[in-house]
Amino acid sequence: MPLPERYTSADGAALDSMIGAAKATLGSDVFILGHHYQRDEVMRWADARGDSFGLSRIAAGQSDAAYIVFCGVHFMAESADVLTGDHQQVLLPDLNAGCSMADMADIDQVEEAWDELGRVIDVERLIPVTYMNSAASLKAFVGRHGGAVCTSSNARAVLTWALDRAAGRGERVLFFPDQHLGRNTGFELGYGADDMRVWNPRLALGGLSDREVKESTLLLWKGHCSVHQRFRPAHVSAFRAEYPDGIVMVHPECAHDVVSMGDVTGSTDAIIKAVAAAPSGSVIGVATEIHLVNRLNNESPDKTVVCLDPLVCPCSTMSRIDPQHLAWVLEGLVEGEVRNRIVVDPETTEWAKVALERMLAIT
Ligand code: 13P
Ligand code: SF4
């Protein structure tokens, strides 16, 4: 449904005054969360900024506000709904703000993969781990089957937990939906390429032989982020040729050949901290979404922060959240109308919460 003209025809100043006035009227009833990839015109209104892990923690601890307005993407708002109390409602300003990576694994495909694997290995010893970038139904699946959620900032801790045989957990992990985060973390933990196999949900038994499944430790779902997969080793080489003393920072959703050439690998929050810690005068090449890279450059006047791919596009779904939609949901709340509420059903909530709380307890 298109937004009313009041919002579509308003200029930046008019939208700012609508948002500011609505926020002031709502006071502590509303809490706005902003993911690091949001544009500045939205981010300036966030009561808290964070990466997906940080925001899920903040949502879990934010019990006062009746309304959480999530400036991020759909899976993040679902997680916030799971982690907040029954007296709270979560709103996503534009329901089209999804995540193409999250859409690469759906519950039917995962259930089917589980059944197929059950014909080859003992799934009691298979631990499912889902990246935060997944639907609540997948988090619930993971919760029901003894696994946990992870984010890019804690994937190592969660995989270590999942493969802790001494604690009687798994001998094998099914990791979805991002093969790159799974592979990068597997290498970090000392596993070799042969210990990790890509599970292609379009092929019988994921395109693997029985033997390959049996010999694997990590089964990596064939999913990826189209923003991060654009970065190539040639981008790192070109940056290093231009700035021999430059520092390269890479998000772990990038392919391993890019990650392996970086100086720092980490979540959006880890990249922000590493930029802050870099010496004054540093030139830093970053492989992640462009809004964050530009903000880092603007907020670090003593450093130069550039995107490693000069042609990188913004995350188009994150960009769906704009001041127009933010003004529309906030003014709705002032008028007593809850717009674009994200609701996860009770049974899914129960099990997704188990998986999310396991993650919060591990890290
Ligand atoms: P972070 O976990 O670093 O916030 O990343 C989330 C995301 O969607 C990256 O593409
Ligand atoms: Fe999804 Fe990639 Fe956008 Fe992150 S950057 S929300 S993984 S599409």
Side-chain angles (χ1 to χ4, degrees), residues 18 22 41-42 73 76 80 99 110 123 125 160 202 226 243 257 276 329 332:
M18 287 181 210
E41 307 91 280
V42 168
V73 287
M76 298 180 183
C99 164
V110 170
V123 285
R125 309 299 314 276
T160 304
R202 292 170 193 276
S226 44
Y243 307 104
D257 51 5
V329 291

Side-chain angles (χ1 to χ4, degrees), residues 144-177:
R144 250 187 235 113
H145 291 276
V149 175
C150 78
T151 71
S152 51
S153 57
N154 60 25
R156 187 184 169 131
V158 173
L159 280 188
T160 304
W161 168 88
L163 292 167
D164 186 353
R165 290 185 205 188
R169 272 184 288 270
E171 54 188 14
R172 203 174 274 107
V173 161
L174 175 62
F175 186 93
F176 43 83

Side-chain angles (χ1 to χ4, degrees), residues 100 177 194 216 292 321:
S100 53
D194 289 345
S216 66
L292 173 58
I321 310 292

Side-chain angles (χ1 to χ4, degrees), residues 109 112-113 116 198-208 221-222:
Q109 289 175 314
E112 213 174 289
E116 278 191 277
V198 173
W199 179 275
N200 182 346
R202 292 170 193 276
L203 300 176
L205 197 63
L208 302 172
W221 196 267
K222 194 173 181 336

